[in-house]
Amino acid sequence: MRFTLLAATTILGAGAACAATCESLASLKLPDTTITLAQEVAAAANTPAYCRVAATLKPSSDSDIKIEVWLPVAGWNEKFVANGNGGWSGAITPNTLAMMVRRGYATAMTDTGHQGGSGSFALGHPEKLVDFAYRAVHEMTVKSKAVIAVYYGKGPRLSYWNGCSSGGKQGLKEAQRFPGDFDAIIAGAPANYWTHLTAAGVWTLDAVRADAATDIPAAKAQMLHRAVLAACDALDGVKDGLLEDPTRCKFDPKSIECKGADAPDCLTAAQVDTVRKVVGGPVNPRTMEKIFPGLEPGSELGWEGTFQAIGGLAVDYFKYVVFKDANWDLKSMNYDSDIALADRTDDGMINATDPNLAPFFKHGGKLLMYHGWADPLIPSQNSIDYYKSVQAAVTNATGNMDDSLRLFMVPGMAHCAGGEGPNTFDMLGAMEQWVEQKKAPQSIVASHSTAGKVDRTRPLCAYPQTAVYKGSGSIDEAQNFECRAR
C-alpha cells in the first residue's frame, strides 16, 4: 500500500506535508504512542547517518509494544521495509536495521510487546498475546509510515516485509489479516501453523529425550547423515553432498541398525525408532492422521543443536497459552484432544494458515517464500503445504498465481541460513526486481562460503522446478545448472 500524505495527515493533523528534523519527531503525537527517542546518529564505518526513533505503543490497557524506526538522513530510496522476529520474538536487533539503512531503506522492527525469548509473558496477559500474534506488527507498520511521512514530508513509495521463521509467520499474517499494509512480503521458513508446529516440537523433544537410550548424539547424527547421502545423493543426477529434492529419498534408518552391541557406526533399535518419529512427524493416535510434517532426510547435522530449542518454544506454548499452567509436563501430552484444544484456543490468532490471499494479490501484492530443505527446526514440507493451499484457494479467483506468489526451496540450507548447501542469497533484491521492474524471479543464485571464501554457487528454482546439472562443467558453478520441472 502506498502511504499517502493524505493518510499521514489523517493520523497526524495538518502539519505532515513538510519534512521535519529528526529531533522534532520527539514531540510527534500519534494515537496510543509515546515517542521515547528521536536522535540523529552519525555515520559509522558501515552505516550512513540516520535518524533513530524509538516509541512505545499501547493499543490496549496491557500493551507495552516497543518499536524502532531508522531513517536515512540522506539517500533515502523512498521505500520502507519492516523486519520480522524469531521464536517468541522479544527483541529488536540493531544489526538488522543497520543492514536495511545501508540499502537506503527507512526501516522498522518491534519487540512484539514483550522482552526475552520465553512464552511466559502470555500467562495472565491475553492482550499481550494478541500483540505477539499480530497487533504489534500491524501497529508498528502504521506508526512507522506516519513517522516516515513526517520526517521526509511524504510517505514511502513502496512498503516491503522481510522475515524468516516467526518473521515468516508474521509476514503471512499481514497478508492474510491486513492485506493493504505491504506491497510485497518475503516470508522465509514460516512458523505459520503455530499450534501444530509446537505440537511437533513437543513430539520431537519427547522422542529424543525420552531416556538416554533414545537420544541421537551429535556423532551419531553425523554418521546418519553420511548414510543418508550415500543412499540418496546421486538421485538428482550429481553427487555433490546435497539432496536437491529430499522427498525422493526413501532412506530407512533400520539399514544401519546395530547387528549386535551399540557402536559408533550404527544405530540402536531405540535410536532407529527415534529417527523414524522425527522424520515421520507427530500422528494423531486415534485417527492416525498426520498432525505436522516430519523433518526431511539431509537435515540430520542440525538435529543436536535445534531439538532443545524447538522443544522449549513448543513447551512454552502449551504451558502458558493452552493449559495456562507453568508446571505442565510434556509427558502428559495427548496428541488427539490436546491438539484439538490448542486449535480451539488459538482460533486463528497466532496461526497464519488462511490460504485466501486474494485481497492481498488483487491490489498487486507479491509474496516470495523460501525454505531450506535441511531445516531441522521447521519442517520444509510445511511451506510447500501452505503454497499448495494458496494455489487451490486463489488461482481460480485471481488467475495465474505465479504473478503473485513464488516459493524457493533451498537444498542443504538449515533454518533460515547456514548448512552445507548454498545458503546466501538476496531475496530482497529479487523482490525489488519483481515489484519495481516486473521481472518475476524464475531462479535466484545462491552461494556457499567457507572461511569467508565462496566455494559453490547454485541456482535456486521457483517451485516446483529444481536445479538440474547440464552434464558438463564444475558442479560448484551455478551456470552449469538449469531449472527444470520435476
Side-chain angles (χ1 to χ4, degrees):
M1 178 183 74
R2 289 173 175 78
F3 188 76
T4 65
L5 282 181
L6 177 60
T9 53
T10 299
I11 294 178
L12 306 172
C18 299
T21 64
C22 183
E23 289 72 18
S24 71
L25 296 176
S27 59
L28 187 60
K29 302 300 182 186
L30 298 171
D32 306 319
T33 302
T34 300
I35 305 293
T36 56
L37 176 72
Q39 182 181 67
E40 188 169 312
V41 179
N46 295 313
T47 309
Y50 62 93
C51 173
R52 179 188 175 198
V53 179
T56 300
L57 314 183
K58 294 184 177 293
S60 81
S61 60
D62 196 30
S63 294
D64 186 30
I65 301 166
K66 301 294 192 297
I67 72 168
E68 289 208 17
V69 189
W70 290 16
L71 308 111
V73 171
W76 178 44
N77 61 14
E78 300 187 355
K79 294 181 286 186
F80 167 58
V81 63
N83 306 281
N85 305 85
W88 281 106
S89 310
I92 295 171
T93 53
N95 286 344
T96 301
L97 296 170
M99 179 171 60
M100 294 305 169
V101 166
R102 285 196 294 270
R103 294 181 71 143
Y105 280 90
T107 186
M109 197 168 184
T110 176
D111 68 354
T112 71
H114 70 279
Q115 300 293 310
S118 167
S120 59
F121 73 90
L123 189 62
H125 295 277
E127 293 294 340
K128 289 187 184 298
L129 186 63
V130 174
D131 289 336
F132 167 78
Y134 62 85
R135 188 164 55 195
V137 167
H138 175 62
E139 289 291 324
M140 172 198 71
T141 301
V142 172
K143 302 303 165 46
S144 296
K145 291 180 181 181
V147 169
I148 291 168
V150 171
Y151 183 62
Y152 293 115
K154 59 183 178 181
R157 178 174 54 87
L158 292 167
S159 296
Y160 292 154
W161 174 267
N162 188 24
C164 192
S165 194
S166 280
K169 169 190 69 68
Q170 291 166 327
L172 295 184
K173 178 65 79 172
E174 277 288 302
Q176 296 161 13
R177 195 177 187 106
F178 306 103
D181 276 1
F182 292 97
D183 297 288
I185 290 171
I186 300 169
N192 63 308
Y193 204 172
W194 190 266
T195 55
H196 287 216
L197 168 64
T198 52
V202 173
W203 168 277
T204 299
L205 187 63
D206 187 35
V208 175
R209 303 287 187 247
D211 56 51
T214 60
D215 190 20
I216 308 289
K220 288 274 186 119
Q222 292 169 7
M223 180 272 298
L224 171 62
H225 182 67
R226 291 192 295 270
V228 168
L229 290 181
C232 299
D233 186 5
L235 292 177
D236 53 22
V238 59
K239 292 198 69 171
D240 56 358
L242 301 176
L243 304 183
E244 185 68 29
D245 180 2
T247 63
R248 298 177 60 192
C249 180
K250 308 304 179 186
F251 177 78
D252 184 353
K254 192 171 180 63
S255 65
I256 54 171
E257 184 175 341
C258 300
K259 306 303 182 187
D262 188 9
D265 61 350
C266 62
L267 298 175
T268 65
Q271 290 168 339
V272 168
D273 187 54
T274 297
V275 173
R276 285 177 169 167
K277 287 181 178 178
V278 169
V279 174
V283 175
N284 184 311
R286 178 178 60 85
T287 66
M288 300 310 294
E289 293 179 354
K290 182 168 284 192
I291 295 169
F292 201 65
L295 298 179
E296 295 293 345
S299 65
E300 301 82 15
L301 294 183
W303 288 8
E304 179 73 13
T306 56
F307 284 169
Q308 198 69 39
I310 186 60
L313 181 151
V315 168
D316 274 9
Y317 178 67
F318 283 92
K319 272 186 180 181
Y320 302 118
V321 178
V322 178
F323 294 106
K324 301 176 176 59
D325 178 6
N327 296 315
W328 179 80
D329 185 352
L330 67 85
K331 294 291 185 183
S332 69
M333 174 74 96
N334 182 312
Y335 288 93
D336 181 10
S337 59
D338 289 352
I339 309 309
L341 174 61
D343 287 337
R344 291 196 303 273
T345 300
D346 184 74
D347 192 26
M349 182 169 57
I350 302 177
N351 279 348
T353 56
D354 184 356
N356 181 19
L357 299 187
F360 177 65
F361 293 156
K362 282 180 179 178
H363 76 73
K366 307 295 186 189
L367 174 58
L368 186 54
M369 296 176 63
Y370 65 92
H371 206 135
W373 271 123
D375 193 329
L377 196 68
I378 300 179
S380 48
Q381 184 64 40
N382 178 63
S383 284
I384 295 173
D385 289 347
Y386 182 69
Y387 173 90
K388 289 181 176 179
S389 74
V390 175
Q391 187 176 43
V394 172
T395 298
N396 291 337
T398 62
N400 184 4
M401 192 181 69
D402 284 349
D403 293 339
S404 306
L405 169 61
R406 296 290 169 97
L407 168 64
F408 290 84
M409 303 302 293
V410 189
M413 188 174 82
H415 185 59
C416 295
E420 293 183 302
N423 51 56
T424 301
F425 41 84
D426 185 7
M427 283 293 166
L428 183 55
M431 183 63 91
E432 289 171 333
Q433 291 273 321
W434 194 6
V435 173
E436 299 167 39
Q437 299 183 30
K438 312 304 180 188
K439 296 180 180 178
Q442 302 295 336
S443 65
I444 298 170
V445 174
S447 65
H448 180 275
S449 298
T450 302
K453 183 178 180 181
V454 173
D455 51 19
R456 173 172 285 176
T457 59
R458 185 69 57 86
L460 308 179
C461 301
Y463 184 86
Q465 293 191 333
T466 58
V468 178
Y469 182 53
K470 295 179 182 178
S472 62
S474 171
I475 62 171
D476 294 327
E477 295 180 4
Q479 66 190 27
N480 299 319
F481 290 77
E482 61 184 357
C483 295
R484 297 182 193 168
R486 293 165 181 257

